[in-house]
Amino acid sequence: MAKATHSPDGSDSLLKLISNRGAIEFDHEREGAWIEVIRKMDEVYSDLLRYEVDLEHKNAELEEAQAFVTNVIESVSDILIVCDAKGQVQQVNSALQRTLDRANDEIVGWTMADIIDAADGAKLMSLLKPRSPSEVVDGELRFLTKGGSSDLFAINSSPRHDHRGRFIGVVLTGRPIGELRRAYEALHTAHQELQRVQRQLVEQEKMASLGRLVAGVAHELNNPISFVYGNVHTLMRYRTALTSYLDAVHGASMSSEAAALKKSLRIDAILEDLGPLLDGTMEGAVRISEIVKNLRRLSFSKLGEVDRVNIEPLINTAVLWAVRTKQVRLDIHMDIDADLWTCGNEGQLHQVIVNLVENAIDATRGTPEPRLEISARRNQNEILIRLSDNGPGIEQQNIGRIFEPFFTTKRVGEGTGLGLWISYGIVREHGGELTVINAPEGGATFSFALPAA
């Protein structure tokens, strides 16, 4: 092999030696060095090619992973918002874009305060605050759309941290709950209404059963009451005859023994007491008779004669009767629409109004300025009648029992506890329902609705 030579000053470079057309001669040492350099270069080049292939594979895998994550995020129906530590939006998904009706470029860069309803600003702080990785916060927000506030969203806030454990922001996910909440509220309302109707049906059946029972008992009481009536009338006649006889006997000359016996037996006092005793007995019999009449009404029989009834004169007459009977001063305000008509028994409806007005008068006794407000309004196919007093109201534990038979809050001897029960039955017979509530400003309000004619 030719031996490579070059000038001692090194002016003959390797490039010149290589570029010579002639053969390059190396000594054994240089030849070995060049072979080693070429081998290393081949290794480096091979490593570079392998690294490039690996890098291309990893880059492809990274792109696939990124595409997969993006596809998953875009496919999720829940909204997703990625924020930094200051609450600035860094990334959102298409669900939020549809909710706000805005493009991604419009939302990214805004703060969370810019995209939520101002009324929910106070709720935002707890969702964005720094916290530990395991601490997840829940909340509710409304977003600002181009058309106004969105539906209510249930928000879940998870914190983000870097490799050093520093808090760098949060990830917010949420789904609309407004429709679900409205459906739940509707279901809850329907359930309450079902419970109310169920209680009403049970109460009506109980009252009807008690009514039939009491009506039967009242029917049986008619016989002894008739005996009392007949006997009292007979005793009144006997009293008159005995008084006339004794006056005739005592008017003649009477022996001292008869006079002493008359005095010792207190015949004069007995004759004087006979009148009040018989009158009191007759009054008690009359009151028992009235109670029996009311009891017989508790069977809730049919309406009987039904006719068109004008509500305005009916209420005016009933109020006048009740006030005259009670003989009290009461400030009455009546607000009754004109031309209100219903179909029913005028006498029974008159009794209902009288009972309610009398109860209001009794309830406002002791009130400095007793007042009663009566209104009658047409509400679609119904006539709503309300009577409100400014008395102390009804104790809460008695609200559910106020329409029970024989239940009364009056003192002994002032009421039988049948007036409201009878009124309840009459209103029910006419297709309505008598209810009572305590007004927030005080007093009780009785109301019922009748079908409009």
Side-chain angles (χ1 to χ4, degrees):
M1 181 178 292
K3 187 176 181 179
T5 60
H6 58 86
S7 60
D9 59 359
S11 58
D12 295 335
S13 63
L14 179 61
L15 180 60
K16 291 181 179 180
L17 294 174
I18 295 176
S19 60
N20 287 335
R21 293 183 180 180
I24 303 175
E25 294 183 2
F26 296 98
D27 57 18
H28 181 73
E29 183 179 355
R30 287 180 177 274
E31 184 178 2
W34 276 105
I35 292 173
E36 183 65 22
V37 168
I38 292 172
R39 189 179 62 81
K40 292 293 184 181
M41 289 178 63
D42 287 339
E43 291 179 359
V44 171
Y45 182 69
S46 298
D47 291 340
L48 288 175
L49 290 177
R50 186 173 62 256
Y51 293 155
E52 184 178 1
V53 172
D54 292 343
L55 183 60
E56 288 178 355
H57 283 300
K58 292 184 181 297
N59 187 45
E61 293 175 357
L62 182 60
E63 289 178 352
E64 290 178 1
Q66 185 176 1
F68 175 77
V69 172
T70 302
N71 187 35
V72 170
I73 292 175
E74 293 301 320
S75 301
V76 173
S77 59
D78 294 353
I79 65 170
L80 183 141
I81 309 172
V82 180
C83 300
D84 62 12
K86 297 181 179 179
Q88 188 174 21
V89 178
Q90 295 177 318
Q91 184 179 355
V92 298
N93 66 344
S94 58
L96 181 69
Q97 298 173 35
R98 290 191 299 270
T99 299
L100 303 185
D101 194 17
R102 299 180 184 275
N104 181 76
D105 295 339
E106 296 182 76
I107 304 173
V108 173
W110 285 2
T111 63
M112 282 297 300
D114 296 329
I115 63 174
I116 68 167
D117 194 330
D120 295 338
K123 305 176 183 178
L124 187 61
M125 299 303 297
S126 61
L127 298 174
L128 301 180
K129 67 179 181 180
R131 53 189 181 274
S132 62
S134 60
E135 186 178 355
V136 179
V137 178
D138 297 326
E140 295 179 353
L141 294 175
R142 287 182 174 86
F143 293 92
L144 283 178
T145 68
K146 290 183 178 180
S149 295
S150 69
D151 211 343
L152 188 64
F153 279 74
I155 303 298
N156 180 280
S157 174
S158 301
R160 295 191 302 132
H161 296 80
D162 61 11
H163 64 284
R164 297 181 180 178
R166 294 180 302 181
F167 177 78
I168 60 173
V170 296
V171 176
L172 304 176
T173 57
R175 62 179 53 187
I177 59 172
E179 184 175 352
L180 179 62
R181 176 168 294 183
R182 286 190 293 270
Y184 175 78
E185 290 176 353
L187 179 62
H188 181 65
T189 302
H191 183 252
Q192 288 183 326
E193 180 64 17
L194 181 61
Q195 288 181 324
R196 186 192 66 81
V197 172
Q198 183 181 17
R199 288 194 300 268
Q200 179 182 351
L201 291 175
V202 172
E203 186 69 18
Q204 289 178 357
E205 182 62 28
K206 179 179 70 175
M207 292 175 66
S209 300
L210 286 174
R212 290 189 291 270
L213 174 64
V214 174
V217 173
H219 178 73
E220 296 298 326
L221 287 176
N222 275 333
N223 291 331
I225 291 174
S226 299
F227 299 158
V228 174
Y229 266 121
N231 292 342
V232 169
H233 283 292
T234 302
L235 287 174
M236 285 182 175
R237 291 197 304 271
Y238 288 173
R239 170 180 171 272
T240 302
L242 288 174
T243 302
S244 300
Y245 173 76
L246 292 175
D247 288 342
V249 172
H250 295 164
S253 58
M254 183 173 49
S255 64
S256 59
E257 293 180 359
L261 182 61
K262 176 183 178 182
K263 183 177 180 181
S264 64
L265 295 177
R266 302 178 60 191
I267 298 301
D268 292 336
I270 291 174
L271 292 176
E272 291 180 0
D273 286 345
L274 277 178
L277 287 174
L278 291 175
D279 292 339
T281 304
M282 179 58 71
E283 181 182 354
V286 170
R287 292 184 62 182
I288 293 174
S289 178
E290 292 297 324
I291 293 174
V292 169
K293 289 180 181 179
N294 288 333
L295 289 175
R296 295 183 66 181
R297 290 286 319 279
L298 299 183
S299 60
F300 300 128
S301 59
K302 295 181 179 180
L303 287 176
E305 184 178 355
V306 177
D307 200 357
R308 282 171 55 87
V309 180
N310 193 345
I311 296 297
E312 184 175 10
L314 172 71
I315 294 179
N316 289 332
T317 304
V319 171
L320 182 62
W321 280 28
V323 173
R324 284 183 177 179
T325 301
K326 291 292 185 177
Q327 296 181 352
V328 295
R329 296 183 61 184
L330 183 67
D331 186 13
I332 300 178
H333 296 271
M334 289 195 288
D335 186 9
I336 304 173
D337 290 348
D339 199 26
L340 295 179
W341 293 82
T342 187
C343 289
N345 188 299
E346 185 172 1
Q348 293 181 3
L349 294 176
H350 178 274
Q351 182 180 357
V352 171
I353 302 298
V354 170
N355 286 342
L356 295 180
V357 174
E358 288 182 346
N359 283 342
I361 293 174
D362 293 337
T364 54
R365 292 185 187 275
T367 303
E369 297 179 358
R371 185 180 70 256
L372 175 62
E373 296 181 358
I374 304 175
S375 66
R377 292 271 188 275
R378 179 164 187 140
N379 182 17
Q380 296 180 354
N381 295 326
E382 292 183 332
I383 298 173
L384 183 60
I385 301 175
R386 285 193 178 94
L387 294 90
S388 302
D389 61 65
N390 65 336
I394 303 172
E395 295 184 4
Q396 194 62 37
Q397 64 268 24
N398 295 333
I399 286 286
R401 303 183 57 197
I402 199 68
F403 297 116
E404 292 182 2
F406 307 109
F407 178 80
T408 179
T409 57
K410 299 177 182 179
R411 293 194 296 263
V412 177
E414 292 186 357
T416 61
L418 298 176
L420 285 178
W421 193 19
I422 292 173
S423 299
Y424 181 91
I426 293 174
V427 172
R428 188 170 69 88
E429 290 171 1
H430 283 76
E433 180 187 1
L434 182 61
T435 60
V436 60
I437 60 172
N438 284 323
E441 62 274 10
T445 298
F446 286 84
S447 61
F448 61 94
L450 298 174

